[in-house]
């Protein structure tokens, strides 16, 4: 049995190709360049547009930008699938993130998938009912929105992304190893990062819920 693969156009890759890692909306000309990249990807056989709005640079985008690019994919029959902007309560919350997926599907007139659906962390446990209610309501009015879900009680990402999301720079390793040599500015960054990481660790269920996995490539 051969691999079952559907290639998608990465929104983050398109954004980075045109405006790099800038935390801003694209200009009209830049948005047109992004549309052209999506159009070319669809012409080359992509199945649609994917996004990772929790991660940079996707997190810098507004919903309207994603809608415009999804419209281009939809013109060729492409779908939209998303690692949503927030699976917990990091920023806009998981409910608003699901509503964003629904809005993108509706305005772009295409199908959309909320990828590896979850309500992440104790603060949001129980919200799965609210998520499914919103999806069911959208489907009832004709919006083709779906979810996929992996069959285990875990998630996988980098420790950087889990504990230090956008806007908080990670202190250099040597600073963490020897904080006594920090400048005043470096110490302020370090203390901010430590506070954010501590809260995000709690948000994810505390130290007991974290498993650090590592492998060395030969």
């Amino acid at each position: 049995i051969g691999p079952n693969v559907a290639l998608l156009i990465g929104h983050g890759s398109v954004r980075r190709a045109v405006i790099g890692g800038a935390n801003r909306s694209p200009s009209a000309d830049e948005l047109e360049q992004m549309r052209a990249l999506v159009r070319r990807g669809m012409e080359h056989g992509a199945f649609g547009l994917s996004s990772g709005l929790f991660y940079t640079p996707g997190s810098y985008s507004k919903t309207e930008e994603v809608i415009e690019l999804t419209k281009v994919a939809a013109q060729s029959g492409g779908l939209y699938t998303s690692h949503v902007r927030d699976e917990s309560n990091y920023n806009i919350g998981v409910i608003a993130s699901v509503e964003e997926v629904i809005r993108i599907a509706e305005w772009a007139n295409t199908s959309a998938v909320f990828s590896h659906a979850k309500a992440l962390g104790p603060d949001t446990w129980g919200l799965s009912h609210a998520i499914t209610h919103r999806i069911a309501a959208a489907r009832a009015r004709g919006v083709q929105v779906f979810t996929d879900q992996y069959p285990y009680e875990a998630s996988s990402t980098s420790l950087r992304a889990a504990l230090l999301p956008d806007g908080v720079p990670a202190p250099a390793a040597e600073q963490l190893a020897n904080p006594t040599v920090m400048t005043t500015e470096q110490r302020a960054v370090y203390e901010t990062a430590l506070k954010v990481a501590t809260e995000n660790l709690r948000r994810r269920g505390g130290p007991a819920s974290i498993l650090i996995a590592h492998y060395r490539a030969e």
Side-chain angles (χ1 to χ4, degrees), residues 108-180:
N109 194 28
T110 191
S111 300
V113 181
F114 169 19
S115 294
H116 46 70
K118 68 173 75 67
L120 178 65
D123 293 350
T124 57
W125 288 349
L127 291 182
S128 56
H129 297 288
I131 292 169
T132 54
H133 172 75
R134 281 161 174 77
I135 291 171
R139 289 174 62 82
R141 66 174 189 267
V143 185
Q144 291 297 297
V145 59
F146 306 88
T147 69
D148 61 47
Q149 184 181 44
Y150 41 61
Y152 43 84
E153 295 179 352
S155 65
S156 178
T157 189
S158 70
L159 201 60
R160 170 75 174 85
L163 300 186
L164 294 175
D166 299 346
V168 180
E174 59 270 19
Q175 295 173 15
L176 291 172
N178 188 8
T180 59

Side-chain angles (χ1 to χ4, degrees), residues 121-122 125 159 162-163 194 197-213:
W125 288 349
L159 201 60
L163 300 186
L194 187 61
T198 300
E199 169 59 15
N200 287 340
L201 185 60
R202 182 209 62 78
R203 175 181 277 116
R204 284 183 169 259
S209 69
I210 303 295
L211 174 65
I212 297 177

Side-chain angles (χ1 to χ4, degrees), residues 16-214:
R16 196 180 296 279
V18 176
I19 61 175
N23 184 359
R24 62 174 176 82
S25 296
S27 66
D29 180 64
E30 289 167 338
L31 183 59
E32 187 52 45
Q33 292 179 54
M34 294 166 73
R35 288 193 187 99
L37 288 174
V38 174
R39 191 175 297 111
R40 187 174 71 183
M42 294 302 298
E43 290 170 353
H44 289 180
F47 278 69
L49 182 76
S50 67
S51 71
L53 302 182
F54 178 73
Y55 299 101
T56 59
S59 58
Y60 300 148
S61 64
K62 291 182 170 60
T63 307
E64 290 73 19
E65 172 189 319
V66 184
I67 289 172
E68 288 304 310
L69 298 181
T70 304
K71 285 180 178 178
V72 176
Q75 289 168 0
S76 299
L79 56 79
Y80 172 71
T81 180
S82 181
H83 181 303
V84 296
R85 202 175 292 273
D86 189 355
E87 297 174 329
S88 182
N89 59 350
Y90 278 98
N91 44 72
I92 67 171
V94 65
I95 298 301
S97 295
V98 172
E99 291 172 342
E100 182 178 40
V101 173
I102 294 169
R103 181 184 171 201
I104 291 168
E106 192 163 19
W107 283 77
N109 194 28
T110 191
S111 300
V113 181
F114 169 19
S115 294
H116 46 70
K118 68 173 75 67
L120 178 65
D123 293 350
T124 57
W125 288 349
L127 291 182
S128 56
H129 297 288
I131 292 169
T132 54
H133 172 75
R134 281 161 174 77
I135 291 171
R139 289 174 62 82
R141 66 174 189 267
V143 185
Q144 291 297 297
V145 59
F146 306 88
T147 69
D148 61 47
Q149 184 181 44
Y150 41 61
Y152 43 84
E153 295 179 352
S155 65
S156 178
T157 189
S158 70
L159 201 60
R160 170 75 174 85
L163 300 186
L164 294 175
D166 299 346
V168 180
E174 59 270 19
Q175 295 173 15
L176 291 172
N178 188 8
T180 59
V181 301
M182 292 181 186
T183 65
T184 301
E185 182 178 354
Q186 289 169 337
R187 179 167 293 280
V189 170
Y190 169 80
E191 290 177 352
T192 298
L194 187 61
K195 287 179 182 178
V196 172
T198 300
E199 169 59 15
N200 287 340
L201 185 60
R202 182 209 62 78
R203 175 181 277 116
R204 284 183 169 259
S209 69
I210 303 295
L211 174 65
I212 297 177
H214 173 77

